[in-house]
């Protein structure tokens, strides 16, 4: 059965697992994809689930336009992140749980715990968009008192305000933080230098005992697809570790040498056997930090729509409208369905994947999905 929605035929939307939201009007700036959705309907009304009304910076403000003719602004100070997390918990309750634990992770976790005993310093890599969701709940107990460097990778995908907020937050916790871009190598040189400096006392103690100095041993750990292998390759300035933009590429632990003074351990992404925090799990799915088989792409895209329409720095709803959906959506599920009808011959999976892919490539601008707790 199908129903007519604003002149378009869509599947019956009577069952929607994502809650509907109070409607708010917004205008959309013209962009390179505007011609895809040339419709004569009135300005679209999109229903938003609770929370504060998003601010749409149609006049340009103090920011620059991205490739879609939308506006990026510095930071998202007006967002009620506590309510965002509460709503995210509510939205995900009805969805299929996101769980992913391929066989190689259990083996790698066991081996990693043994190798940790040999490490002078541990480099934990997290996704800068979701730093709290990309740390293993048992990481602190595994590391104990070992020196740790925290690397927030993909710094190019969050705003300066977000970077400052996270830097201040982790500094208060006494953690050394480096922001990095594994693809371009930003932060890699600083990381190598800091790892050597933090473990310098190792060789001082060895000399005092009459032993010869040795290379500093640093282990690089973190969730899947957060950029561990890319950082190592950038440090070494050659491709020593397999790396690709999807989870599960690295399956074995591998020691590589960086000059005479530093040895690095590349390790597979380690996840809990069961992820109890499903709000964190769905953010892993949004950021491609967990295997795609673990979640329903359409569900994740729909929740992502719900989140991004609240973030002023995105103007994301305008982007999706330019991608060819127009009028009156009663839920984000229907939103994805209408995009599918316009561009993908009704293929909801392809439409949802396009939304996620554009977000992961940074086409919505600087977007952090988490802010430090207050």
């Amino acid at each position: 059965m199908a129903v007519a929605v604003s002149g378009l035929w869509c599947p019956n939307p009577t069952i929607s697992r994502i809650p509907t939201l109070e409607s708010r009007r917004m205008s959309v700036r013209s962009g390179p994809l505007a011609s895809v959705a040339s419709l004569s309907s009135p300005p679209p009304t999109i229903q938003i689930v609770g929370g504060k009304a998003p601010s749409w910076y149609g006049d340009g403000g103090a920011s620059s336009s991205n490739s879609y003719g939308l506006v990026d602004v510095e930071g998202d100070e007006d967002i009620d992140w506590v309510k965002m997390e509460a709503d995210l918990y509510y939205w995900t309750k009805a969805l299929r749980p996101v769980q992913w634990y391929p066989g190689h992770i259990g083996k790698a976790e066991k081996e990693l715990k043994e190798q940790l005993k040999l490490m002078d310093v541990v480099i934990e890599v997290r996704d800068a968009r979701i730093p709290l969701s990309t740390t293993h709940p048992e990481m602190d107990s595994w590391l104990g008192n070992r020196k740790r460097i925290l690397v927030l990778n993909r710094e190019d995908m969050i705003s300066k305000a977000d970077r400052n907020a996270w830097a201040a937050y982790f500094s208060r916790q006494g953690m050394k933080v480096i922001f990095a871009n594994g693809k371009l190598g930003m932060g890699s040189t600083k990381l190598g230098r800091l790892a050597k400096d933090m473990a310098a006392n190792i060789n001082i103690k060895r000399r005092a005992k009459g032993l010869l100095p040795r290379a500093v041993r640093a282990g690089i750990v973190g969730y899947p697809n957060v950029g561990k292998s890319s950082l190592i390759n950038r440090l070494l300035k050659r491709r020593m570790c397999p790396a690709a933009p999807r989870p599960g590429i690295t399956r074995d632990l591998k020691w590589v040498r960086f000059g005479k003074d530093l040895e690095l351990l590349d390790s597979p992404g380690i996840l809990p056997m069961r992820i109890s925090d499903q709000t964190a799990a769905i953010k892993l799915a949004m950021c491609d930090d967990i295997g795609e088989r673990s979640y329903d792409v359409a569900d994740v895209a729909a929740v992502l729509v719900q989140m991004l329409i609240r973030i002023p720095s995105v103007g994301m709803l305008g982007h999706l409208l330019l991608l060819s959906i127009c009028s009156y959506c009663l839920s984000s599920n229907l939103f994805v369905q209408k995009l599918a009808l316009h561009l993908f011959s009704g293929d909801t999976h392809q439409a949802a994947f396009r939304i996620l892919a554009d977000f992961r490539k940074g086409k919505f601008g600087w977007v952090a999905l988490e802010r430090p707790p207050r």
Side-chain angles (χ1 to χ4, degrees):
M1 177 179 179
V3 295
V5 181
S6 302
L8 299 174
W9 285 94
C10 296
N12 192 338
T14 54
I15 299 177
S16 174
R17 285 177 287 179
I18 305 297
T20 58
L21 304 159
E22 66 175 295
S23 60
R24 301 185 183 276
R25 286 193 179 273
M26 61 160 286
S27 59
V28 182
R29 297 179 61 194
S30 60
L33 296 181
S35 60
V36 180
S38 55
L39 294 164
S40 58
S41 57
T45 300
I46 306 298
Q47 296 195 346
I48 304 171
V49 183
K52 296 183 179 180
S55 303
W56 307 102
Y57 296 83
D59 57 357
S63 57
S64 59
S65 297
N66 59 25
S67 59
Y68 287 95
L70 303 175
V71 174
D72 296 327
V73 297
E74 274 293 305
D76 300 300
E77 300 292 347
D78 294 334
I79 301 173
D80 187 341
W81 288 96
V82 174
K83 188 176 190 310
M84 176 87 84
E85 287 293 314
D87 287 340
L88 185 58
Y89 173 79
Y90 173 63
W91 298 333
T92 56
K93 280 183 67 176
L95 304 183
R96 188 187 86 190
V98 177
Q99 302 291 347
W100 190 64
Y101 197 77
H104 75 273
I105 289 184
K107 176 185 174 184
E109 180 179 323
K110 183 178 179 180
E111 293 176 353
L112 180 61
K113 289 178 182 177
E114 292 298 318
Q115 292 294 325
L116 281 172
K117 300 173 184 177
L118 306 175
M119 295 178 191
D120 303 315
V121 59
V122 176
I123 300 169
E124 184 188 2
V125 183
R126 302 188 194 178
D127 191 320
R129 297 168 294 181
I130 48 172
L132 299 181
S133 296
T134 45
T135 185
H136 198 290
E138 296 184 39
M139 185 63 69
D140 289 339
S141 63
W142 290 349
L143 300 187
N145 295 324
R146 285 181 182 80
K147 296 179 180 180
R148 182 197 304 195
I149 300 173
L150 179 60
V151 176
L152 298 185
N153 195 30
R154 302 189 180 117
E155 67 158 349
D156 57 311
M157 304 190 78
I158 63 174
S159 70
K160 183 178 179 180
D162 291 321
R163 290 194 293 272
N164 291 341
W166 284 113
Y169 172 75
F170 288 116
S171 178
R172 290 194 296 270
Q173 296 186 346
M175 298 181 67
K176 300 284 187 180
V177 182
I178 291 179
F179 289 89
N181 181 340
K183 288 185 178 180
L184 300 180
M186 296 170 61
S188 58
T189 302
K190 183 178 179 181
L191 174 61
R193 185 167 58 248
L194 181 58
K196 294 177 186 178
D197 291 344
M198 289 185 68
N201 64 329
I202 297 296
N203 284 322
I204 294 175
K205 293 178 180 179
R206 288 179 65 85
R207 289 190 185 96
K209 295 177 181 179
L211 300 174
L212 293 174
R214 63 165 174 79
V216 171
R217 297 169 184 155
I220 298 187
V221 301
Y223 270 26
N225 203 35
V226 293
K228 301 181 297 297
S229 298
S230 296
L231 277 173
I232 291 179
N233 290 336
R234 283 293 179 177
L235 270 169
L236 300 176
K237 298 183 179 178
R238 61 187 185 275
R239 187 181 177 86
M240 291 292 294
C241 302
R246 62 181 185 275
I249 295 299
T250 304
R251 291 178 172 265
D252 300 296
L253 278 72
K254 179 181 181 180
W255 283 99
V256 293
R257 196 171 185 88
F258 179 52
K260 298 180 180 180
D261 304 323
L262 183 62
E263 291 179 351
L264 298 167
L265 176 66
D266 186 25
S267 63
I270 304 295
L271 287 167
M273 181 177 293
R274 183 169 184 81
I275 304 175
S276 56
D277 184 352
Q278 282 299 297
T279 61
I282 203 162
K283 283 184 278 190
L284 294 177
M286 292 172 186
C287 296
D288 202 20
D289 294 331
I290 194 169
E292 189 178 327
R293 292 184 179 181
S294 67
Y295 56 87
D296 183 285
V297 174
D299 283 345
V300 173
V303 176
L304 179 63
V305 169
Q306 299 281 42
M307 290 187 70
L308 295 188
I309 55 181
R310 297 187 178 196
I311 299 178
S313 64
V314 182
M316 165 271 183
L317 206 46
H319 164 64
L320 288 183
L321 290 173
L322 294 176
L323 277 177
S324 78
I325 41 186
C326 62
S327 61
Y328 304 90
C329 295
L330 303 178
S331 72
S332 54
N333 295 85
L334 181 57
F335 198 77
V336 175
Q337 292 171 15
K338 293 183 72 176
L339 175 62
L341 286 171
H342 274 281
L343 289 186
F344 301 100
S345 303
D347 190 331
T348 304
H349 183 276
Q350 285 297 321
F353 185 81
R354 172 66 181 272
I355 294 170
L356 293 176
D358 278 2
F359 168 71
R360 293 162 180 172
K361 292 175 182 176
K363 292 187 177 181
F364 296 141
W366 297 323
V367 185
L369 299 183
E370 291 178 343
R371 263 298 182 94
R374 295 180 179 179

